[in-house]
Amino acid sequence: MRLDKYLKVSRLIKRRTVANEACNQGRVMVNDRPAKAGTDIKLGDVITIKFGSSDVSVRVTSLDEHPKKEEAASMYETV
């Protein structure tokens, strides 16, 4: 699954275009490497997102294409 789509469906970022912009600005890293929006995400990858002065790090636990709102939080675990 593409990184920008994962960020949107897991509800880490509200919109896919915002996720794409964050990737283009270098604020998203996958396994400690800068990632583009089209980066392929796999189970176990660690995603770090810079939100202003804070960082959010999560580990991918599920790659569901169309999760329900209640299931979105179970797609990752905080690292």
Side-chain angles (χ1 to χ4, degrees):
M1 177 183 295
R2 287 175 54 103
L3 175 60
D4 57 346
K5 183 172 182 178
Y6 180 82
L7 293 173
K8 190 236 183 246
V9 298
S10 66
R11 298 175 188 253
L12 287 168
I13 295 181
K14 191 170 185 174
R15 293 185 193 92
R16 191 166 175 179
T17 55
V18 175
N20 201 325
E21 290 171 6
C23 293
N24 291 341
Q25 293 171 358
R27 294 187 291 145
V28 180
M29 299 178 66
V30 175
N31 299 328
D32 295 325
R33 292 190 185 123
K36 295 185 179 182
T39 301
D40 191 36
I41 298 299
K42 297 177 255 353
L43 293 176
D45 284 349
V46 176
I47 301 172
T48 305
I49 308 167
K50 296 177 185 175
F51 289 114
S53 62
S54 65
D55 291 353
V56 175
S57 292
V58 297
R59 178 172 289 116
V60 177
T61 58
S62 173
L63 294 174
D64 190 5
E65 292 278 334
H66 305 287
K68 294 186 169 133
K69 184 177 182 179
E70 302 81 32
E71 299 167 351
S74 66
M75 293 183 66
Y76 59 88
E77 62 184 16
T78 306
V79 178

